[in-house]
Amino acid sequence: MTIQLIRVGIIGCGNIGADHIDRVAHQISGARVTALFDVATERVQELAAQVGAAAMATASEVITSPDVDAIIIASPGQFHAALTIECIAAGKPVLCEKPLAPSVEECEAVLAAEQAAGRRLVQVGFMRRNDVGYRHMKANLNAGHIGDALILHCEHRNPDVPDSFTSEMSMTDSVVHEIDTSRWLLDEEIVRVRVIAGKQSPLAAKHLNDPQLVIMETQSGVIISVEVFVNARYGYDVRCEIVGSNGVTSLGAQDLGQFVSNTQRNVTMPANWRVRFSDAYRAEIQDWINGIQAGEPRGASAFDGLAATVVANAAVQAVKTGETVEIPVLEKPAFYA
Ligand code: ISE
């Protein structure tokens, strides 16, 4: 049997888009980059020349190109739903960066389009599901090594953020990853959220609550605590631990190496999420390509994208009101079983 080489079009060539171009061109087997689009025309032409792809004038041209079998969407979030629906209409598999869409209505429109098309074409870029550390945690839990999950502790620290970053974005941009990993690790839905803003870091912008503590609860009553601190300065630091009835499982060391000298031990940390999760991104895209070749959907589905947006938007409401927000449990269509 010959395995089809997947020709990938990439829409959005900013930081993460450019990383994906490099990954597909140089680190992924069974795929190559054939078409690119970005509003920054000079940049896209430069990137296209580097990997031997065509620079297209519009996103739609990438999607409908006869030289493109599958698409990665790495444009800003507000364009995700419309572009994903165009990919579905073209009958092409699409890996859409998170969020699937900022609003619940747009996510629902994607699910409706995919179900009408009659086959799973959409994967959402929740790359932590492909991180080795998180996968070990899930395997340990599923194997029964720690008994029943009781509490999930998460820390999400970014060194800094641009001035345009808001307290709500801490939920939709950052905590949305903990929302997805919690649902995936625990295999149940989140039903309640509240957000506490305590003493503010003097290094945070005046308009930003930072750090914030997010407390969520699942259907069975597992408590999830997320510290989100986007001005932690010292490095990018993501931690996670499940406390079970008979043990704990947690992410292992994420150091980039260390040295000892002059009676001191020095550990290098990732400077940002692109470094910390580069292996996870590579594994995610390889798995996506393998899934397309095997004709079976893998990774986070459009339903997972919708569920994450529902909880992230509830967390935004909790930031705004200071109150606990109840979250109705979504019914999962059989299509996504
Ligand atoms: C960013 O947009 C990401 O997706 C990163 O994974 C996350 O750690 C960071 O907080 C976000 O701002």
Side-chain angles (χ1 to χ4, degrees):
M1 191 179 87
T2 48
I3 293 179
Q4 185 199 354
L5 180 75
I6 306 297
R7 298 166 302 168
V8 178
I10 299 182
I11 298 171
C13 304
N15 287 339
I16 189 70
D19 287 353
H20 289 338
I21 293 168
D22 181 61
R23 271 188 268 273
V24 177
H26 305 296
Q27 300 169 36
I28 302 293
S29 64
R32 68 188 172 95
V33 188
T34 50
L36 304 178
F37 168 73
D38 195 282
V39 284
T41 32
E42 260 176 48
R43 175 177 171 83
V44 75
Q45 271 159 8
E46 227 172 83
L47 290 165
Q50 283 169 21
V51 295
M56 304 295 209
T58 64
S60 302
E61 276 178 49
V62 172
I63 295 169
T64 56
S65 166
D67 296 325
V68 168
D69 305 310
I71 295 107
I72 296 178
I73 299 175
S75 59
Q78 71 263 34
F79 303 114
H80 287 185
L83 291 169
T84 301
I85 290 171
E86 263 192 77
C87 295
I88 295 169
K92 297 184 182 179
V94 51
L95 173 59
C96 178
E97 269 303 332
K98 63 87 189 157
L100 177 57
S103 77
V104 172
E105 293 71 26
E106 288 169 295
C107 291
E108 284 173 343
V110 173
L111 268 76
E114 193 180 32
Q115 288 174 83
R119 70 185 172 114
R120 291 265 304 273
L121 290 166
V122 182
Q123 181 173 324
V124 182
F126 283 121
M127 77 297 183
R128 288 188 185 185
R129 292 181 180 216
N130 291 91
D131 178 76
V132 172
Y134 281 104
R135 289 180 89 88
H136 282 147
M137 288 179 69
K138 186 167 173 64
N140 289 336
L141 179 63
N142 290 353
H145 294 324
I146 65 162
D148 289 349
L150 305 175
I151 300 180
L152 176 58
H153 292 297
C154 311
E155 274 134 71
H156 188 144
R157 300 188 188 134
N158 287 3
D160 52 25
V161 284
D163 262 0
S164 54
F165 203 90
T166 63
S167 308
E168 288 81 16
M169 283 169 74
S170 289
M171 305 302 133
T172 56
D173 233 51
S174 303
V175 175
V176 70
H177 285 290
E178 273 75 16
I179 291 170
D180 181 66
T181 39
S182 302
R183 291 184 60 254
W184 173 72
L185 284 168
L186 301 171
D187 209 10
E188 55 175 327
E189 298 297 340
I190 295 165
V191 295
R192 200 164 290 121
V193 58
R194 75 181 278 226
V195 179
I196 303 166
K199 181 170 175 174
Q200 197 200 26
S201 162
L203 303 181
K206 292 280 165 281
H207 65 267
L208 184 63
N209 300 337
D210 196 42
Q212 299 178 93
L213 193 61
V214 184
I215 312 285
M216 300 186 275
E217 263 171 77
T218 67
Q219 288 165 296
S220 76
V222 177
I223 298 168
I224 304 164
S225 72
V226 185
E227 173 207 305
V228 57
F229 185 17
V230 296
N231 285 280
R233 291 296 189 269
Y234 67 91
Y236 182 77
D237 196 3
V238 162
R239 303 180 192 191
C240 188
E241 180 178 64
I242 303 174
V243 181
S245 52
N246 196 29
V248 300
T249 180
S250 51
L251 286 182
Q254 301 152 51
D255 312 339
L256 299 179
Q258 52 172 283
F259 64 86
V260 285
S261 166
N262 197 23
T263 72
Q264 307 254 322
R265 190 182 301 277
N266 184 297
V267 176
T268 303
M269 303 189 58
N272 57 49
W273 45 275
R274 289 167 60 202
V275 175
R276 164 67 180 86
F277 287 110
S278 65
D279 286 347
Y281 279 117
R282 194 195 44 70
E284 173 195 60
I285 294 178
Q286 186 65 68
D287 199 42
W288 177 62
I289 294 292
N290 296 349
I292 296 170
Q293 288 170 333
E296 60 185 42
R298 301 180 183 181
S301 68
F303 178 79
D304 294 315
L306 165 67
T309 293
V310 167
V311 179
N313 288 0
V316 165
Q317 205 188 326
V319 168
K320 285 184 180 152
T321 61
E323 284 170 6
T324 299
V325 177
E326 302 290 327
I327 307 166
V329 174
L330 297 169
E331 206 171 305
K332 190 175 190 169
F335 184 82
Y336 294 104

